């Protein structure tokens, strides 16, 4: 089964930037939100297809940020 047509663009994850600004290590955040370091690394690198809202809420709560600070949409030029 093929995926439906996806608009030409990409989602950029800024989790590493927020961690640096708040001087929090990935391990500490992973412990706070109850996910493995590997799972958090996959989110940071964008190597995932989706994020559960419960995980997103936990990240935003732990980092005192909004979802828009974590993710950015960039259109890929034709």
């Amino acid at each position: 089964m093929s995926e439906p047509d996806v608009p030409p663009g990409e989602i950029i994850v800024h989790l590493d930037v927020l961690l640096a600004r708040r001087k929090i290590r990935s391990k500490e955040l992973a412990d706070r939100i109850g996910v493995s370091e590997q799972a958090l690394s996959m989110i940071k690198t964008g190597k995932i297809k989706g994020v559960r809202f419960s995980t997103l809420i936990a990240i935003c709560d732990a980092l005192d940020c909004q979802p828009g600070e974590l993710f950015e949409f960039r259109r890929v030029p034709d």
Side-chain angles (χ1 to χ4, degrees):
M1 180 176 181
S2 64
E3 292 186 13
D5 290 343
V6 178
E10 61 184 341
I11 299 295
I12 308 301
V13 182
H14 297 293
L15 182 54
D16 54 346
V17 173
L18 288 172
L19 287 170
R21 284 183 185 161
R22 287 163 176 74
K23 296 181 173 79
I24 298 174
R25 293 178 166 258
S26 293
K27 180 179 179 1
E28 181 183 343
L29 180 61
D31 290 343
R32 280 190 196 179
I33 66 173
V35 301
S36 69
E37 288 181 73
Q38 182 180 10
L40 190 62
S41 176
M42 297 284 285
I43 294 170
K44 279 175 45 177
T45 59
K47 295 181 180 177
I48 55 171
K49 290 191 178 204
V51 178
R52 292 180 184 206
F53 278 126
S54 58
T55 303
L56 184 57
I57 290 166
I59 292 171
C60 288
D61 183 48
L63 296 179
D64 191 28
C65 68
Q66 294 295 314
E69 295 175 80
L70 288 168
F71 304 106
E72 172 188 354
F73 170 74
R74 288 190 192 159
R75 189 168 306 281
V76 175
D78 294 333

